[in-house]
Amino acid sequence: MAADALSDVLRTVRLTGAVFFEVAATEPWVAESAPRDIILPKVLPDADHLIAYHVVTMGRCFGSLIGGPPIALEAGEVIVFTHGDPHVMASSPGMRAETPKPRYARRDAHAWRA
């Protein structure tokens, strides 16, 4: 059986770090991503590339690159921004955050332990 394209890519990619956020929201809501040149130096300073992805676990929402067309997403679907470009996730198409305030900070591994 032939492997799918994503499996082929994942076999050749070397991951150096990961950051996860969980968002639980009720309408109306919007989350806007900062550009990768703001995120990478603060969170993963040794990384050369940023891949942002969002997994919809409940309900529905819309995702888009800043200025791009919105893509409707349902529970169980994933959207991937392969170059870490600024993007928006929202409860309705066309929404934007009033003022994005990135609060990314790198923490040592021990800071995440309970």
Side-chain angles (χ1 to χ4, degrees):
M1 175 183 256
D4 60 275
L6 179 58
S7 294
D8 290 341
V9 169
L10 292 176
R11 272 194 287 279
T12 62
V13 172
R14 182 179 61 88
L15 298 177
T16 58
V19 178
F20 301 94
F21 298 95
E22 179 179 3
V23 177
T26 57
E27 291 188 42
W29 64 270
V30 61
E32 193 163 317
S33 171
R36 70 180 159 266
D37 57 339
I38 290 175
I39 297 171
L40 280 180
K42 294 179 180 179
V43 178
L44 300 168
D46 297 328
D48 296 324
H49 196 73
L50 174 67
I51 299 173
Y53 68 93
H54 302 274
V55 178
V56 181
T57 58
M58 293 176 56
R60 62 185 311 242
C61 65
F62 295 83
S64 69
L65 291 171
I66 301 295
I71 298 169
L73 300 163
E74 301 284 337
E77 294 184 317
V78 177
I79 188 167
V80 179
F81 299 98
T82 57
H83 298 289
D85 293 319
H87 59 277
V88 177
M89 299 296 295
S91 58
S92 298
M95 293 179 72
R96 293 287 306 271
E98 290 180 21
T99 304
K101 294 181 182 177
R103 296 181 184 190
Y104 302 105
R106 183 181 176 148
R107 295 184 184 184
D108 293 330
H110 69 277
W112 293 99
R113 293 184 192 141

